[in-house]
Amino acid sequence: MSAPLPPGVTERTVRVGDIDMHLLEAGTEGPLIVLAHGFPELAWSWRHQLPALADAGYRVVAPDQRGYGGTTRPEAVEDYDIHHLTGDLVGLLDELGEERAIFIGHDWGSMVVWQLSLLHPDRVMGVCGMSVPFVPRASAPPIQIFRAIFADQFFYIVYFQEPGVADAELGGDPARTMRRLLAGLSTPGDLTTDEAASMSADDGRGFVDRMPEPDGLPDWLTQEELDHYIEVFSETGFTGGINWYRNFDRNWELTPQLAGAKVEVPSFFVGGADDPVLTMSPPDGQEVWLTDHRGSVIIDGAGHWVQQEAPEQVNAALLDFCDQLRGGTNP
């Protein structure tokens, strides 16, 4: 790892099922917290949370999930379906000798831990989604729905479906990709009408092509931190992460039993007020599906990369939720 680890954080690789999983760890005692990153991120995206949660008395583990960083990257698209992704986290618990954990996910990691709470509720002490609210099972295959809604527009999830296309664009210049995604991602309110129309125009441009080139780095991201992302994704490429998107319909087909299912374990949500995802999927809509919801925290001035942009506020919110579970208290 090129970037230094925070004090008290260690790394190792363990065997989980059919993959080798690279972990960052902090703390040795207390309830286990598993931090699940999103796209395109790494275990290292939780660098601000690992020591803070450990200092508060928790055992904390952040894996590079399958397809990312130092973890195995299977070639087959179907090796990234929801049963593999949730199975990795359950297998991680088994490897660590833990029966249950508090699962906290960001972006795609949120979708995985939400589904984990439905598929393996006995292994989940509590679940927190960040940036992506809980979404119930759709009435039809999701990609079919997306293709109908965005028939004459560019939509990145549809664009990601064709093997090799997005992989080549994102991997062609990892520095450009990570710089634009981390430092140049704008909120809808920042865009003019013409810019917003350009972002969704079906004009042959790719995904990164549509992202603005930032004037500089935001104050929450140093050049060293950006360089670490660039170095890792230059080595691994982006195919593993993109393959998660190629399983939307397969995941739907594999989980008919989840139609109408609600999250029964204690739940929590954290998002950035400037996150464009919350415009597409407002968190208020999830609460009818969460039977023991402990609240939502929306952080002003933060965008999609909320745990990196506003670590102090995020850490305080997460500790409030985790301490409720440890103490067995109600909200």
Side-chain angles (χ1 to χ4, degrees):
M1 172 172 289
S2 60
L5 292 174
V9 177
T10 60
E11 62 180 325
R12 64 180 170 126
T13 298
V14 299
R15 188 70 179 177
V16 176
D18 61 349
I19 65 171
D20 293 320
M21 180 177 283
H22 174 251
L23 307 176
L24 299 185
E25 297 178 284
T28 58
E29 298 180 349
L32 177 64
I33 298 175
V34 177
L35 304 171
H37 67 78
F39 175 85
E41 294 181 283
L42 301 163
W44 193 71
S45 301
W46 299 103
R47 60 195 177 278
H48 303 300
Q49 284 68 50
L50 283 152
L53 296 173
D55 288 346
Y58 293 91
R59 182 185 186 190
V60 194
V61 176
D64 282 340
Q65 298 200 76
R66 84 166 45 209
Y68 287 90
T71 293
T72 303
R73 302 184 299 278
E75 292 187 8
V77 170
E78 56 268 25
D79 284 342
Y80 296 86
D81 67 35
I82 197 62
H83 288 311
H84 283 88
L85 302 182
T86 57
D88 289 343
L89 298 184
V90 171
L92 177 59
L93 291 193
D94 294 339
E95 173 63 26
L96 297 175
E98 299 277 2
E99 184 61 32
R100 296 197 303 161
I102 301 168
F103 288 91
I104 300 170
H106 174 251
D107 184 78
W108 242 111
S110 292
M111 290 191 274
V112 173
V113 300
W114 287 127
Q115 294 302 302
L116 179 69
S117 73
L118 298 179
L119 294 168
H120 302 279
D122 57 316
R123 309 303 298 269
V124 181
M125 184 177 176
V127 60
C128 173
M130 297 175 60
S131 297
V132 177
F134 176 78
V135 178
R137 186 174 186 271
S139 59
I143 300 303
Q144 176 181 312
I145 294 173
F146 293 150
R147 290 188 190 280
I149 294 173
F150 299 100
D152 300 316
Q153 302 176 60
F154 176 88
F155 185 50
Y156 73 101
I157 293 178
V158 173
Y159 172 68
F160 281 178
Q161 296 307 303
E162 184 64 32
V165 176
D167 320 49
E169 187 205 358
L170 274 67
D173 187 347
R176 173 177 179 260
T177 296
M178 296 310 301
R179 185 176 62 249
R180 289 191 175 193
L181 285 178
L182 291 176
L185 189 61
S186 299
T187 66
D190 293 332
L191 302 176
T192 67
T193 301
D194 288 344
E195 287 171 336
S198 177
M199 288 286 287
S200 60
D202 186 14
D203 56 11
R205 286 180 298 156
F207 176 60
V208 183
D209 290 341
R210 298 164 190 272
M211 298 292 169
E213 182 64 36
D215 296 330
L217 297 184
D219 58 9
W220 56 268
L221 182 69
T222 68
Q223 186 63 52
E224 181 182 46
E225 290 170 332
L226 176 60
D227 287 345
H228 177 65
Y229 282 112
I230 294 169
E231 178 183 340
V232 173
F233 281 102
S234 293
E235 179 180 342
T236 66
F238 294 85
T239 297
I242 296 172
N243 278 341
W244 292 36
Y245 290 89
R246 294 174 178 144
N247 278 278
F248 267 106
D249 282 359
R250 179 178 172 82
N251 293 342
W252 186 87
E253 293 163 359
L254 290 172
T255 56
Q257 76 276 20
L258 298 186
K262 294 185 177 183
V263 174
E264 305 286 351
V265 302
S267 62
F268 192 58
F269 180 79
V270 178
D274 297 333
D275 188 343
V277 174
L278 301 194
T279 301
M280 295 186 294
S281 186
D284 290 350
Q286 69 183 337
E287 295 191 10
V288 67
W289 298 96
L290 309 174
T291 64
D292 186 7
H293 191 50
R294 303 298 179 92
S296 298
V297 173
I298 308 300
I299 299 174
D300 289 337
H304 183 65
W305 315 108
V306 61
Q307 80 272 39
Q308 299 178 73
E309 296 180 49
E312 291 185 4
Q313 297 97 312
V314 167
N315 293 348
L318 295 180
L319 282 172
D320 181 65
F321 174 60
C322 294
D323 287 349
Q324 286 183 32
L325 302 182
R326 177 160 62 180
T329 60
N330 291 318

